[in-house]
Amino acid sequence: MRLATAADEIVPLRDPRVQQNPGYLTIILLSRVITKLGEMPAVDTRVVEGLYTADLAFLQDFYQRINQAEIPVYRTICPHCGEEIEVPVNFMEAGL
């Protein structure tokens, strides 16, 4: 599996199958980013549709792990003690 591009996440939203059933987004998205699966010459939506639920869940989890951005950490000086500290900045929690 490769890292997803913006197009990998945006283009499937225009697909009629996704517009009829938003759950199908996962199928198309995984079929775009899986580069190799066992001995199969290519991975398309039919292959992903045929996966067992546990296998699909594993691939979804793997997709999330490799595409999840790490929370940035900034080095700064503590205003109270003057020591250098690392402060994580989670933009999602900050509501930005």
Side-chain angles (χ1 to χ4, degrees), residues 1-4 8 26 29-38 43 48 51 55-67:
M1 186 178 297
R2 63 172 174 76
L3 289 174
D8 290 326
T26 299
L29 185 56
L30 288 175
S31 71
R32 291 176 63 99
V33 298
I34 295 172
T35 57
K36 184 175 181 182
L37 193 58
V43 177
V48 179
L51 295 172
D55 294 332
L56 182 62
F58 172 82
L59 291 170
Q60 286 175 299
D61 180 62
F62 187 64
Y63 174 89
Q64 289 297 324
R65 282 194 221 183
I66 67 171
N67 286 288

Side-chain angles (χ1 to χ4, degrees), residues 15-34:
D15 190 293
R17 296 169 292 183
V18 173
Q19 292 172 355
Q20 289 179 341
N21 178 3
Y24 203 76
L25 176 63
T26 299
I27 303 298
I28 296 175
L29 185 56
L30 288 175
S31 71
R32 291 176 63 99
V33 298
I34 295 172

Side-chain angles (χ1 to χ4, degrees), residues 48-89:
V48 179
E49 286 173 348
L51 295 172
Y52 290 108
T53 304
D55 294 332
L56 182 62
F58 172 82
L59 291 170
Q60 286 175 299
D61 180 62
F62 187 64
Y63 174 89
Q64 289 297 324
R65 282 194 221 183
I66 67 171
N67 286 288
Q68 182 178 27
E70 291 190 28
I71 297 171
V73 177
Y74 295 95
R75 294 184 96 105
T76 189
I77 304 296
C78 175
H80 303 290
C81 68
E83 294 288 320
E84 186 174 297
I85 59 172
E86 290 185 352
V87 178
V89 179

Side-chain angles (χ1 to χ4, degrees), residues 90-96:
N90 186 338
F91 296 106
M92 298 300 233
E93 290 180 4
L96 300 174

